[in-house]
């Protein structure tokens, strides 16, 4: 009998498409649940029949077709569609039997809909089709033969086929609703899968093609789970070697304990700068950024490594150069101030005294002039060596510039400091032997001692300077200790300079010189830099290096800077109007700006006003700032620079490499040009390490896409070297010294430019 039921169905089912979207395993799981429901009905229906007062035999007969269909649906040979159809018919038969045993009550018909809902588990419309056919045929045929088995309403009993079709209609609707629900959810699922596949492919492509080393490691074990090509090339391990290693294998051995401890505490933080070992044993420094992710079900981290070894070495070298004097190897002015600041901070906590000693060689200029710079340099080196020998290991000896030295003596009172001073005086009295010739150099010094709290850096240095003036006045070759009685004269000196400078501004004693910036590839003048000078009626022309610091201290730099800007803009307009410059590119004008000016809240407004008043094109203006100017109050400074650039003005970093030398800031600043400090150009031909460093700096600036200007070119050799480095803009005595305005006008029109152009064409 089973075969009789199955055979025709199998033929129909064979002609139908296979079940939608379900794999054999998923289908089997669902089929088992539905069979379970069928078997529950095989048990439950007779019990229900008995409770309704039917005989045991009647109940068993009613449940038999359900059992037969359940058995048929169990047959593994049937194929998915046929077995689903058999199960569907079984479920529908259960509903029909339930309706029959309940005496055709309306509520029992709900059972059909529950079973229809259950059928949607197959995700296939074929079982629905059979269920629908079953409902119509069963309601119609049984409704005719035994109406009370199907309905309890009079109209339904009278019109069994009409009601069979109505019930069929509802079953059809329920089936349609189910089909819609599963197809839309399936569609959503398919989209989600496609989306996740696409993003996985994108990730894979980015991962593999990234020029930066990248890897994924498991957080718990630190084992590598995946590495990209760049990591393989950079670290020298093959992919297989990598996948057999953990993060610990690329970290220095001494870090292992610390790393393990962190993992144990659940801290897998990877971002930051780390030291790594590559295969050939070299140590590199990498900046790491990391991202948590689940990788094949494991808690993992994705790492991007950026090798900054070269940058750190360059920074270290620059840092050393920034804080040391190249000639003597001693600390320089900046390092001295830094150490003094720290020492004073310690002093305010611990109350130990300290002393500052400033020294100045007597008549050093005479040695330089009579024996040449080379001898002068040797003398300075010898003096530096003697000073270092005279102090204790923890003390700081600095060359502040020229023939000026300063010493920081910690934990000394007046007596001990004077003893050291006496040792220095004695050391300096010994003749200096150079080229079999004895030379005598005497040194004057000023000593200032802070014996407790409340000393400021500024005050200590000023007192030492005052004592130094006193020593010079007293006849040279001695070191004087500061006394309050000396104060008057020292303060007066500074106040006097400031007052005279103020007057100078009013009386028109300030004037500008201009130094051309040459484009080396053509020999043409790209622009001019305005440099301020002071014609002091008493002392003659004073260098800005001398009076700009006083102007800064007193705030005079603000009106002075504004005057320089206005005067320079006016002058360039005059040249342009007079035809001194013309054709091609318009002349760029560089103006130096002090940190103090940049900090003024209305600085941008002042610049805009000057441009407006002089009718100067902002696109021609370049403002030169030093590193220290932009690094004090970085955020506010960036804002001002951005406002200036919005006006069309360009920004240059002046004396690059001479200051703080943190290279990171270059990237973060809105800049247009970098001027490499003179000392990287000076004597470039002689010193291999210096050449290397200069090359590294030029490359670095190049990667930022900024043009470089080489400052302070003094010889043809330096010029050739600068060109070989690929630097196209230069400034320096070799090209032209700073010139007065009329001389500059001649230069612009004159033979020197033609000569430079010829030189450029020839080489
Ligand atoms: P800077 O802006 O770096 O200017 C370049 C300095 O190098 C100038 O010194 C220039 O005369 C000098 N120089 C140019 N070529 C050579 C060379 O081949 N060899 C050597 N040894 N030196 C060369 P100057 O005029 O004495 O100015 C010194 C500094 O004073 C300037 O350095 C700048 O920082 C500051 N300064 C000058 N004018 C102004 C100004 O108007 N405002 C402000 N705030 N600072 C100014
Ligand atoms: Mg400058
Ligand atoms: Mg400069």
């Amino acid at each position: 009998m089973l075969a009789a039921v199955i055979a025709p169905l199998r033929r129909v089912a064979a002609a139908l498409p296979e079940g939608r979207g379900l794999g054999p395993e998923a289908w089997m799981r669902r089929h088992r649940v539905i069979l379970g429901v069928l078997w529950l009905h095989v048990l439950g229906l007779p019990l229900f029949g008995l409770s309704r007062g039917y005989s045991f035999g009647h109940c068993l007969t009613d449940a038999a077709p359900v059992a037969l269909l359940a058995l048929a649906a169990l047959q593994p040979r049937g194929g998915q569609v046929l077995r689903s159809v058999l199960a569907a018919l079984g479920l529908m038969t259960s509903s029909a039997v339930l309706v029959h045993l309940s005496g055709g009550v309306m509520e029992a018909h709900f059972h059909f809909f529950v079973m229809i809902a259950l059928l949607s588990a197959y995700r296939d419309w074929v079982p629905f089709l059979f269920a629908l056919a079953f409902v119509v045929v069963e309601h119609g045929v049984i409704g005719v033969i035994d109406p009370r088995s199907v309905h309890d309403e009079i109209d339904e009993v009278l019109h069994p086929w009409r009601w069979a079709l109505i019930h069929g209609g509802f079953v059809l609707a329920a089936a349609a609703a189910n089909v819609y629900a599963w197809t839309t959810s399936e569609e959503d699922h398919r989209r989600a899968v496609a989306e996740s596949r696409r993003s996985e492919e994108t990730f894979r492509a980015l991962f593999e093609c990234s020029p930066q080393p990248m890897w994924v490691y498991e957080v718990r074990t630190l084992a590598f789970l995946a590495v990209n090509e760049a990591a393989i090339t950079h670290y020298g391990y093959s992919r297989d070697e990598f996948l057999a290693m953990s993060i610990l294998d690329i970290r220095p051995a001494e870090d292992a304990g610390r790393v393990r401890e962190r993992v144990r505490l659940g801290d897998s933080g990877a971002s930051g700068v780390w030291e790594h070992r590559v295969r050939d044993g070299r140590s590199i420094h990498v900046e790491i950024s990391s991202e948590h992710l689940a990788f094949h079900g494991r808690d993992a981290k994705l790492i991007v490594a950026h090798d900054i070894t070269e940058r750190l070495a360059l920074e270290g070298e620059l840092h050393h150069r920034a804080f040391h004097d190249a000639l003597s190897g001693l600390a320089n002015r900046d390092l001295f101030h830094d150490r003094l600041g720290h020492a004073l901070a310690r002093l305010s906590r611990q109350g130990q005294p300290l002393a500052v000693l400033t020294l100045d060689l007597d008549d050093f200029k005479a040695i330089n002039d009579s024996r040449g710079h080379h001898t002068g340099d040797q003398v300075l080196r010898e003096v530096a060596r003697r000073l270092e020998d005279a102090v204790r290991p923890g003390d700081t000896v600095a060359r502040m510039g020229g023939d000026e030295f300063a010493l920081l003596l910690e934990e000394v009172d007046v007596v001990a400091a004077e003893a050291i001073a006496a040792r220095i005086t004695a050391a300096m009295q010994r003749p200096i032997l150079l080229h079999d010739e004895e030379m005598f150099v005497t040194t004057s010094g000023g000593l200032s001692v802070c014996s407790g709290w409340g000393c400021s850096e500024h005050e200590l240095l000023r007192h030492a300077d005052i004592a130094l003036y006193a020593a010079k006045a007293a006849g040279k070759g001695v070191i004087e200790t500061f006394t309050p009685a000396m104060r008057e004269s020292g303060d007066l000196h500074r106040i006097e300079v400031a007052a005279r400078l103020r007057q100078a501004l009013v009386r028109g004693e300030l004037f500008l010189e201009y130094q051309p910036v040459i484009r080396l590839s053509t020999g043409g003048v790209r622009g001019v830099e305005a440099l301020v000078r002071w014609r002091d009626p008493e002392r003659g022309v004073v260098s800005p290096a001398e009076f700009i610091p006083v102007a800064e201290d007193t705030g005079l730099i603000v009106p002075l800077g504004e005057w320089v800007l206005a005067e320079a803009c006016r002058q360039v307009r005059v040249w342009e109007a007079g035809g001194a410059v013309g054709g091609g590119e318009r002349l760029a004008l560089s103006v130096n700006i002090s940190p103090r000016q940049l900090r003024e809240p209305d600085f941008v407004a002042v610049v805009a006003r000057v441009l407006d008043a002089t009718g100067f094109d902002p696109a021609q203006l370049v403002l030169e700032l030093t590193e220290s100017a932009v690094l004090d109050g970085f955020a506010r400074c960036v804002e001002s620079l951005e406002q200036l650039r919005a006006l069309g003005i360009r920004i240059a970093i002046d004396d690059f490499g001479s200051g703080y030398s943190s290279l990171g800031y270059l990237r973060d600043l809105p800049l247009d040009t970098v001027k490499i400090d003179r000392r990287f150009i000076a004597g470039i031909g002689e010193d291999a390490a210096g050449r290397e460093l200069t090359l590294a700096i030029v490359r670095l600036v190049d990667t930022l896409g900024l043009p470089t200007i080489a400052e302070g070119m003094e010889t043809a050799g330096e010029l050739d070297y600068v060109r070989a480095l690929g630097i196209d803009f230069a400034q320096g005595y070799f090209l032209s010294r700073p010139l007065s305005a009329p001389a500059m006008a001649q230069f612009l029109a004159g033979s020197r430019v033609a000569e430079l152009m010829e030189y450029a064409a020839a080489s």
Side-chain angles (χ1 to χ4, degrees):
M1 179 177 164
L2 186 64
V5 177
I6 291 174
L9 284 177
R10 184 176 268 175
R11 275 198 296 281
V12 175
L16 293 172
E18 264 300 304
R20 288 165 165 263
L22 284 187
E25 273 173 32
W27 180 86
M28 198 57 215
R29 266 198 311 276
R30 290 156 191 239
H31 187 61
R32 273 200 210 105
V33 171
I34 288 174
L35 286 182
V37 172
L38 269 181
W39 288 116
L40 280 179
H41 281 86
V42 172
L43 280 179
L45 287 172
L47 294 178
F48 178 63
L50 289 174
S51 75
R52 296 276 302 161
Y54 288 97
S55 71
F56 189 61
H58 185 110
C59 293
L60 281 188
T61 316
D62 279 0
V66 181
L68 285 175
L69 285 163
L71 276 175
L74 253 180
Q75 296 308 310
R77 283 187 304 128
Q80 272 185 23
V81 177
L82 176 62
R83 293 168 78 191
S84 318
V85 166
L86 290 171
L89 293 174
L91 293 176
M92 293 301 108
T93 309
S94 307
S95 301
V97 171
L98 185 80
V99 170
H100 157 69
L101 292 176
S102 67
V105 298
M106 180 47 113
E107 288 73 8
H109 285 257
F110 294 137
H111 192 270
F112 278 105
F113 295 100
V114 177
M115 295 301 109
I116 290 288
L118 186 60
L119 276 185
S120 66
Y122 284 126
R123 302 244 159 153
D124 189 357
W125 52 271
V126 180
F128 282 130
L129 204 66
F130 278 80
L132 173 65
F134 179 96
V135 169
V136 174
V137 172
E138 189 267 348
H139 276 48
V141 173
I142 305 292
V144 171
I145 302 168
D146 179 14
R148 288 280 158 211
S149 280
V150 189
H151 306 296
D152 63 350
E153 296 284 332
I154 188 69
D155 190 60
E156 294 166 345
V157 172
L158 292 178
H159 306 288
W161 281 106
R162 181 195 299 166
W163 284 96
L165 289 176
I166 291 172
H167 281 224
F170 277 111
V171 169
L172 181 66
N178 275 303
V179 171
Y180 175 71
W182 95 57
T183 47
T184 48
S185 84
E186 223 167 50
E187 182 64 29
D188 290 348
H189 176 70
R190 254 202 306 279
R191 275 213 197 102
V193 169
E195 185 57 38
S196 101
R197 192 166 300 148
R198 254 199 309 280
S199 67
E200 196 179 317
E201 277 162 10
T202 314
F203 167 77
R204 199 172 290 280
L206 285 176
F207 184 77
E208 272 313 328
C209 302
S210 161
Q212 307 293 358
M214 289 172 88
W215 58 80
V216 178
Y217 74 88
E218 187 178 18
V219 170
R220 192 176 54 81
T221 59
L222 301 179
F224 286 100
L225 301 177
V227 290
N228 74 352
E229 254 336 291
I232 291 169
T233 321
H234 210 86
Y235 283 74
Y237 295 105
S238 71
R239 194 178 297 272
D240 288 342
E241 283 171 326
F242 253 123
L243 296 181
M245 299 190 323
S246 84
I247 296 292
L248 293 179
D249 297 307
I250 58 166
R251 294 288 297 273
E254 57 275 19
D255 284 1
R258 210 155 18 105
V259 177
R260 277 205 200 89
E261 181 60 14
R262 286 235 316 261
V263 172
R264 199 182 62 74
L265 295 173
D267 170 15
S268 60
S271 299
V273 174
W274 301 108
E275 187 183 342
H276 281 172
R277 291 273 148 83
V278 297
R279 191 164 201 243
D280 63 17
R282 256 179 324 116
S283 154
I284 60 171
H285 280 89
V286 286
E287 203 165 33
I288 292 283
S289 36
S290 69
E291 192 66 54
H292 234 114
L293 82 174
F295 188 83
H296 296 309
R298 286 194 257 191
D299 185 20
K301 279 205 158 189
L302 168 69
I303 299 295
V304 183
H306 183 67
D307 190 338
I308 55 165
T309 316
E310 251 179 61
R311 194 188 93 189
L312 289 185
L314 187 57
E315 280 185 0
E317 179 67 34
L318 283 175
H319 190 265
H320 182 84
R321 293 209 173 205
F323 289 109
H324 291 85
D325 167 47
L327 176 76
S328 64
L330 295 179
N332 68 7
R333 182 183 287 273
D334 287 340
L335 183 55
F336 183 82
H337 284 295
D338 187 60
R339 297 247 172 103
L340 179 56
H342 283 295
L344 285 171
R346 268 198 303 280
L347 180 139
S348 71
R349 285 196 303 272
Q350 298 159 1
Q352 280 149 336
L354 63 78
V356 167
L357 174 59
T358 53
L359 296 167
D360 193 286
L361 303 191
D362 300 322
D363 305 318
F364 179 68
K365 194 169 176 301
I367 296 180
N368 249 347
D369 291 347
S370 61
R371 315 272 173 112
H373 283 279
H374 187 64
T375 307
D377 288 353
Q378 280 176 305
V379 169
L380 289 172
R381 280 196 206 101
E382 177 59 22
V383 169
R385 206 184 54 72
R386 289 185 187 187
L387 289 177
E388 278 186 314
D389 288 347
V391 299
R392 302 155 310 163
D395 295 328
T396 301
V397 182
R399 178 165 172 237
M400 306 295 265
D403 58 351
E404 238 181 89
F405 295 85
L407 281 72
L408 168 61
L409 310 170
E410 294 190 60
E411 294 173 33
V412 289
D413 54 14
V414 178
V415 178
E418 284 182 340
I420 295 174
R423 244 185 0 243
I424 289 173
T425 312
M428 290 303 166
Q429 277 163 357
R430 290 204 317 270
I432 294 176
L433 196 66
L434 278 182
H435 317 297
D436 297 330
E437 190 184 343
E438 284 192 341
M439 243 179 292
F440 289 88
V441 181
T442 60
T443 310
S444 303
L447 182 65
S448 146
V449 182
C450 176
S451 50
W453 290 266
C455 306
S456 78
E457 189 180 331
H458 184 67
E459 197 179 51
L460 261 177
L461 284 168
R462 206 178 62 212
H463 288 175
D465 275 346
I466 292 170
L468 174 63
Y469 291 133
K472 290 261 185 197
K476 304 180 177 172
V478 292
I479 294 176
E480 293 277 358
T481 306
F482 172 78
T483 61
M486 293 174 182
R487 184 185 280 133
E488 284 292 293
S489 55
D491 261 352
L492 278 179
H493 175 73
R494 212 175 161 72
I495 292 166
E496 201 186 298
V497 173
R500 296 229 319 267
L501 189 56
R502 185 166 288 123
Q503 289 286 317
L505 198 58
V506 179
R507 289 195 203 138
E509 288 166 14
L510 297 180
F511 66 101
L512 297 185
E513 284 190 335
Y514 300 87
Q515 189 177 33
V517 177
I518 304 293
R519 188 196 286 277
L520 298 178
S521 52
T522 61
V525 181
R526 175 66 196 101
V528 294
E529 177 174 5
L531 296 161
V532 69
R533 274 93 183 86
W534 174 15
R535 189 175 290 109
D536 183 351
E538 282 175 29
R539 294 193 294 162
V541 175
V542 183
S543 144
E546 201 169 313
F547 65 85
I548 292 282
V550 179
E552 281 245 330
D553 278 357
T554 52
L556 257 183
I557 191 71
V558 176
L560 190 154
E562 188 178 339
W563 176 83
V564 170
L565 180 64
E567 172 59 17
C569 290
R570 187 196 64 76
Q571 182 60 65
V572 174
R573 295 277 290 153
V574 168
W575 286 330
E576 285 177 336
V581 280
E585 247 172 342
R586 296 185 72 185
L587 201 64
L589 168 65
S590 300
V591 175
N592 294 287
I593 299 298
S594 284
R596 174 80 182 251
Q597 283 172 275
L598 193 64
R599 282 201 300 271
E600 288 293 303
D602 63 345
F603 177 64
V604 179
V606 167
V607 173
R609 200 175 61 219
V610 170
L611 288 175
D612 205 38
T614 52
F616 197 76
D617 182 358
Q620 280 176 273
L621 184 61
V622 181
L623 297 183
E624 294 193 359
L625 299 157
T626 54
E627 285 167 283
S628 55
V630 289
L631 291 176
D632 297 354
F634 190 79
R636 212 181 44 206
C637 161
V638 169
E639 200 185 312
S640 302
L641 296 189
E642 259 152 14
Q643 288 169 1
L644 290 167
R645 289 180 95 216
L647 293 176
I649 297 168
R650 279 168 292 160
I651 308 293
I653 279 286
D654 203 356
D655 307 339
F656 177 68
S658 66
Y660 293 73
S661 34
S662 146
L663 300 174
Y665 83 90
L666 271 187
R667 234 186 350 213
D668 305 331
L669 274 179
L671 294 181
D672 301 280
T673 308
V674 174
K675 294 183 82 168
I676 295 194
D677 192 53
R678 190 184 118 61
R679 67 164 115 161
F680 292 106
I681 309 299
I684 219 164
E686 295 151 27
D687 162 18
R691 270 203 304 270
E692 198 102 308
L693 185 67
T694 308
L695 185 63
I697 289 186
V698 173
R699 266 207 227 112
L700 179 96
V701 177
D702 239 22
T703 60
L704 299 169
L706 300 175
T708 309
I709 299 181
E711 285 190 283
M713 234 165 36
E714 291 187 346
T715 65
E718 286 168 9
L719 172 64
D720 288 338
Y721 186 69
V722 162
R723 289 174 63 132
L725 282 174
I727 300 178
D728 197 24
F729 297 104
Q731 219 178 322
Y733 292 167
F734 179 73
L735 300 165
S736 164
R737 287 192 170 256
L739 303 169
S740 67
M744 188 69 216
Q746 269 179 3
F747 181 93
L748 288 169
S751 57
R752 180 71 177 133
V753 172
E755 201 179 294
L756 287 168
M757 289 206 172
E758 227 165 77
Y759 179 86
S763 44

